[in-house]
Amino acid sequence: MNIAANARSGAGFDDFDAAFSDDFSSGRPADEVLINDPFEPVNRGVFWVNDKLYFYLFKPIARGYRLVLPRPARVSVRNFFSNLTTPIRAGNALLQLKFHDFGTEIYRFAINSTFGVLGFFDPAESVAGVKQRTEDFGQTMGFYGIGHGFYLVLPIVGPSSLRDGIGSFADSFADPLRYADLRTMEYLGVKWFDVENRLSLDHDTYEGIVQDSLDPYLFMRGAYAQRRKAQVGKESYNMNIFEGPVFDSDLLNPFEWFGFD
């Protein structure tokens, strides 16, 4: 239930759903220990609290919000926040010497911020086929051989580790919203809105985990460790960003999308 982390990195709950089918199809049992967990009793207690908050607070709000705002509008909101956190992804790609990924993120930001109307649309992917990269400082530390340390379940945030917790804190300094003229409560309110919007697009992924797992805690711990291992070790997204009708004014005319053309 990595809610706040998804909000920072820009990765949505629908991506989290896809990650389970892509990254965790190796057949490993959920109770295999893939990450050191010396504080399991405490972590289980925090997990229980997070579980109740999810079912009795976060998800009901997201479902109500889903009834108010149609899906295309919610997708546009997700796109906007994701585009806003480009410096986090681009900066970490550069730190990992992934120059192609760095260029991809800069390209996506330029296209989506202009033709995509401040990032509310994603023509970089929908038209040109250039997908977003997933990079954060936890991955950067892992890239240079720094291990998890130990497993942590953080209040509200959910599954993490000593390394990734430090990474999330470091990433927060690259978040443009941190430097906006917002008071603390306003900043937290914007982040909360981003989280609830992303959760409203989720296909009940967490509910399926709880329903199908004998021990959801063990499953989430194993899934988290596998997912992070895959993210640290996976190859760069290899695509020529100049392929496709990138500069086709007919396809990239935002006024045409709104019916003004």
Side-chain angles (χ1 to χ4, degrees):
M1 198 174 56
N2 198 352
I3 297 174
N6 278 319
R8 287 191 296 269
S9 65
F13 284 86
D14 45 352
D15 297 329
F16 185 64
D17 188 13
F20 272 97
S21 60
D22 292 341
D23 295 340
F24 312 136
S25 57
S26 61
R28 286 194 184 101
D31 59 350
E32 182 179 350
V33 179
L34 302 174
I35 183 171
N36 188 29
D37 190 5
F39 304 111
E40 181 173 343
V42 176
N43 283 334
R44 280 186 176 274
V46 178
F47 178 85
W48 183 88
V49 173
N50 286 348
D51 179 83
K52 301 309 176 186
L53 286 173
Y54 175 87
F55 281 109
Y56 296 110
L57 180 61
F58 300 144
K59 200 55 184 272
I61 292 176
R63 285 172 177 158
Y65 172 70
R66 185 188 298 168
L67 296 175
V68 174
L69 205 64
R71 180 177 175 83
R74 288 181 281 121
V75 170
S76 291
V77 171
R78 181 192 62 188
N79 291 341
F80 172 79
F81 281 109
S82 180
N83 189 63
L84 198 63
T85 54
T86 296
I88 295 175
R89 297 186 298 274
N92 281 292
L94 189 60
L95 288 172
Q96 296 173 53
L97 307 181
K98 296 180 179 178
F99 300 113
H100 189 281
D101 291 354
F102 172 75
T104 295
E105 283 300 309
I106 296 301
Y107 167 83
R108 281 180 49 83
F109 182 76
I111 293 296
N112 291 342
S113 297
T114 53
F115 297 112
V117 191
L118 300 179
F120 282 101
F121 299 94
D122 189 2
E125 179 174 351
S126 62
V127 178
V130 182
K131 297 181 181 179
Q132 177 182 292
R133 301 302 299 139
T134 302
E135 304 292 348
D136 56 60
F137 197 68
Q139 288 174 243
T140 298
M141 289 189 285
F143 177 82
Y144 288 103
I146 299 176
H148 279 293
F150 49 81
Y151 184 62
L152 288 172
V153 180
L154 302 177
I156 300 179
V157 174
S160 186
S161 67
L162 178 61
R163 181 195 71 193
D164 292 342
I166 294 172
S168 295
F169 177 74
D171 283 337
S172 70
F173 288 94
D175 183 357
L177 281 176
R178 185 184 182 97
Y179 305 100
D181 188 19
L182 297 174
R183 296 181 180 179
T184 300
M185 293 306 297
E186 293 172 337
Y187 174 81
L188 293 176
V190 171
K191 287 296 184 180
W192 179 275
F193 174 64
D194 182 23
V195 168
E196 289 294 345
N197 183 77
R198 291 176 184 275
L199 190 55
S200 74
L201 295 166
D202 174 49
H203 303 294
D204 294 336
T205 304
Y206 182 69
E207 286 85 339
I209 294 171
V210 172
Q211 181 179 356
D212 297 336
S213 301
L214 293 176
D215 190 335
Y217 174 84
L218 292 181
F219 183 90
M220 290 295 291
R221 185 180 68 187
Y224 176 79
Q226 290 181 47
R227 180 172 182 262
R228 293 302 284 170
K229 180 179 180 181
Q231 288 179 332
V232 169
K234 68 183 178 182
E235 297 179 356
S236 298
Y237 179 68
N238 186 21
M239 176 177 177
N240 182 356
I241 62 176
F242 296 107
E243 289 181 354
V246 179
F247 301 106
D248 189 327
S249 60
D250 292 333
L251 291 175
L252 293 178
N253 184 355
F255 294 101
E256 185 174 281
W257 302 339
F258 288 105
F260 296 150
D261 194 27

